[in-house]
Amino acid sequence: MRQIFLSIFFGITILLTGCVKDSEPSTAEEDLGSTSKVSAGSHTESKNLTELSSINVAESTEDMASLPPGHLTKDFTVDQEVSIWSKSEVPEEIRESFLEEMKSVTESTKDPRQIHSAFIKLLGSPLYSEFVGPLAVFHPSFAVPILPEPHELTEEGAAVDLPSNALILLDASSSMLLQADGRLKMDTAKTAVKSFAATIGQNSEVSLYVYGHAGTQSKSDKELSCGTIDEVYPLGSYDEKKFNESVDGVNASGWTPLAQAIKQARLDHENTKEDITVYIVSDGAETCGGDPVAEAQAFSDLAKARHVNVIGFQVDQKAESQLKAVAEAGNGTYLAADTLDEMTAGISKLWLPSDLDLATLVYKKPIGWPQATALRTVSNYADKTKNAIRVENERFIGAARLLEEEGLIDETVKDELIELINNQKEQYMRLIIELDEEKRQLINDEVDRISKKVDDYHERMKALKEKQNK
């Protein structure tokens, strides 16, 4: 009987052991899995806390501009973020997600600084890059009037004739995205071209070609970039608004098809009987395999009254050598320019002011509407940023109170947290106020600089004319 019982007992034991092996881990395995889970959880918590420790309040406007939007607020609209009617609370649509995230954080730490970092990560404003970034890089681009010098008169005292048709070829290749004197080369070239067109357009038909603006600098885009030449302002009477819009619409990006640009200008206007002068504004040599020297020669060979003038803007020796050859082959002149003033002065070699031009120079100063527009742009960026700071501050304070209400933090932690939140607001406001004042001063200084330049020129020309008439 005892043997039968033992046999049955061992049989059941073996059966149960087999079932356990098939369906569940052993006790040792359970202990190991449990340890692994605890270790993984601890590692995750440690990783999360380390991540929060790396999220800090911005110390500069550059830092503010690079702040990513909060994970939960990234889709909030501008109206939501700058509304004066915003409530001091976490919006209903993200409250549940916010509490779920913060439960995990507050279970790991009660440090107000790390909780504040979690607020920045989850609820930070989505607008800083949109407004602080443009404000930080804002630079007034007032049209600088061309002020030709008296040596531009002929020996007989007569004015040099302006061309009937002026074709401006603007280089928009990727190298124009480099900086020069604190500004993009492209922006400097645009300002100079606008000023030149406003001057020469008083007596000449004007056209604007752009090249290098298609595709990118990658080899895969070379064919597109090298084959795209656009006359963005067709030859005709100068219209300031339309011409400036055409210039502003140009973006630098690709290769440099200088030869093809000259060729396209020739083909488009080969039947034009009146004299034509091409004005090339470029910062580099041909990169598409064409022969710009031969094309300049072909252009000037059509008629004696055809010329190709070139302005090389901060070019290297190799590029300057080619651009000089282009001007020579095109029966024109070459000018090297390193600054905006040199560029506008160089373009003006064919223009002489009349008494009327001198009398109307006062209207070329960027006072009044241009200055007010620039100041309004700066104020718009600054005011919207300040509102975004205020809304973010109120959202953070509401979040701190919500955590206390839910029992996730106590009153002491909440008070310390609100102090950190308000310190952040004060710091951000100070940064934006300083940046706003800096940009306003920059605008006013630029207005004063140009106005003084115009006034000095006017007085000098007036004195020379009076002396000549004696």
Side-chain angles (χ1 to χ4, degrees):
M1 184 69 177
R2 184 170 178 269
Q3 288 179 338
I4 295 174
F5 172 77
L6 289 174
S7 298
I8 294 173
F9 172 78
F10 285 122
I12 294 173
T13 301
I14 292 171
L15 178 62
L16 290 174
T17 301
C19 293
V20 169
K21 286 182 179 180
D22 289 341
S23 61
E24 296 180 316
S26 67
T27 304
E29 288 173 332
E30 287 178 352
D31 290 343
L32 178 62
S34 176
T35 302
S36 299
K37 290 175 183 176
V38 171
S39 299
S42 300
H43 176 69
T44 300
E45 290 175 3
S46 176
K47 181 179 179 182
N48 289 338
L49 293 179
T50 300
E51 181 184 352
L52 290 179
S53 298
S54 67
I55 300 174
N56 299 307
V57 174
E59 297 290 337
S60 66
T61 50
E62 289 78 11
D63 291 341
M64 283 187 71
S66 62
L67 283 173
H71 289 351
L72 301 178
T73 54
K74 61 184 178 181
D75 296 325
F76 282 14
T77 66
V78 173
D79 289 341
Q80 281 178 285
E81 291 298 287
V82 301
S83 171
I84 61 174
W85 306 110
S86 63
K87 298 179 180 178
S88 177
E89 61 183 27
V90 178
E92 187 67 35
E93 63 266 30
I94 64 170
R95 187 171 301 179
E96 185 177 340
S97 297
F98 170 71
L99 286 174
E100 183 178 344
E101 294 278 359
M102 291 309 301
K103 283 177 184 177
S104 175
V105 172
T106 54
E107 285 173 359
S108 303
T109 180
K110 293 293 191 283
D111 183 348
R113 293 189 178 277
Q114 290 187 321
I115 295 174
H116 182 210
S117 295
F119 284 9
I120 296 174
K121 177 182 177 182
L122 296 172
L123 304 177
S125 174
L127 300 184
Y128 291 143
S129 62
E130 184 171 346
F131 295 127
V132 182
L135 180 59
V137 300
F138 177 85
H139 192 287
S141 298
F142 299 126
V144 181
I146 295 176
L147 307 173
E149 292 300 318
H151 67 262
E152 292 164 342
L153 293 170
T154 65
E155 293 182 0
E156 295 77 19
V160 177
D161 291 334
L162 292 175
S164 300
N165 302 285
L167 311 182
I168 304 170
L169 275 58
L170 178 59
D171 181 355
S173 59
S174 59
S175 59
M176 293 291 273
L177 294 173
L178 298 175
Q179 294 245 342
D181 296 325
R183 300 178 65 186
L184 292 181
K185 284 186 175 184
M186 193 74 242
D187 290 341
T188 300
K190 285 181 177 181
T191 299
V193 166
K194 287 178 184 178
S195 295
F196 173 56
T199 300
I200 202 168
Q202 303 304 310
N203 292 76
S204 307
E205 299 281 286
V206 178
S207 168
L208 176 64
Y209 284 83
V210 291
Y211 60 94
H213 59 297
T216 65
Q217 188 59 29
S218 68
K219 289 185 178 180
S220 61
D221 279 350
K222 184 175 182 180
E223 182 177 354
L224 169 66
S225 187
C226 293
T228 304
I229 313 295
D230 290 320
E231 188 178 19
V232 294
Y233 187 90
L235 185 63
S237 300
Y238 173 71
D239 182 303
E240 181 178 11
K241 183 176 183 294
K242 291 181 180 179
F243 186 90
N244 288 349
E245 287 176 350
S246 298
V247 174
D248 290 336
V250 177
N251 294 308
S253 63
W255 296 67
T256 311
L258 176 57
Q260 186 61 32
I262 300 172
K263 179 180 180 180
Q264 190 63 53
R266 172 174 60 84
L267 294 176
D268 288 347
H269 304 286
E270 60 184 349
N271 296 323
T272 301
K273 295 180 180 180
E274 297 85 4
D275 57 296
I276 300 178
T277 297
V278 168
Y279 300 88
I280 298 171
V281 180
S282 177
D283 77 329
E286 169 78 30
T287 62
C288 290
D291 187 347
V293 176
E295 291 300 338
Q297 182 73 57
F299 182 91
S300 63
D301 283 348
L302 288 176
K304 288 184 179 181
R306 289 183 175 239
H307 308 274
V308 178
N309 294 341
V310 182
I311 292 179
F313 183 42
Q314 292 197 341
V315 298
D316 57 30
Q317 188 173 358
K318 179 182 177 182
E320 183 171 64
S321 177
Q322 184 184 77
L323 293 176
K324 282 182 176 179
V326 169
E328 183 177 354
N331 191 26
T333 59
Y334 172 80
L335 173 81
D338 289 325
T339 66
L340 173 61
D341 284 345
E342 288 180 2
M343 185 179 288
T344 52
I347 293 178
S348 71
K349 292 295 181 183
L350 296 178
W351 171 257
L352 288 170
S354 65
D355 290 341
L356 178 61
D357 294 322
L358 290 178
T360 57
L361 273 176
V362 64
Y363 302 112
K364 299 294 185 181
K365 297 179 182 180
I367 57 177
W369 183 81
Q371 183 178 16
T373 299
L375 290 171
R376 196 180 308 117
T377 298
V378 167
S379 292
N380 183 53
Y381 286 136
D383 290 345
K384 287 189 175 180
T385 303
K386 291 174 187 176
N387 284 340
I389 293 170
R390 181 185 58 77
V391 169
E392 180 187 67
N393 173 262
E394 293 181 354
R395 183 162 59 236
F396 282 11
I397 291 175
R401 290 171 177 161
L402 178 61
L403 293 187
E404 183 191 20
E405 292 171 5
E406 295 292 326
L408 299 180
I409 60 174
D410 59 27
E411 184 179 5
T412 300
V413 173
K414 179 204 70 176
D415 291 342
E416 292 180 22
L417 185 53
I418 289 178
E419 183 179 1
L420 291 172
I421 292 168
N422 285 332
N423 287 342
Q424 174 191 335
K425 176 186 176 183
E426 291 176 7
Q427 178 162 311
Y428 284 11
M429 284 294 188
R430 176 180 55 78
L431 289 173
I432 295 305
I433 290 171
E434 290 176 354
L435 183 59
D436 183 19
E437 292 174 350
E438 175 190 324
K439 295 302 179 179
R440 286 176 170 276
Q441 188 62 51
L442 180 64
I443 292 169
N444 293 331
D445 287 347
E446 185 69 358
V447 169
D448 291 343
R449 183 187 74 83
I450 296 174
S451 296
K452 184 177 185 303
K453 183 175 181 180
V454 171
D455 289 339
D456 290 347
Y457 175 81
H458 184 273
E459 291 303 314
R460 199 155 46 85
M461 293 300 103
K462 181 180 178 182
L464 287 172
K465 283 180 173 289
E466 290 176 352
K467 183 178 180 180
Q468 188 180 45
N469 293 331
K470 286 183 179 179

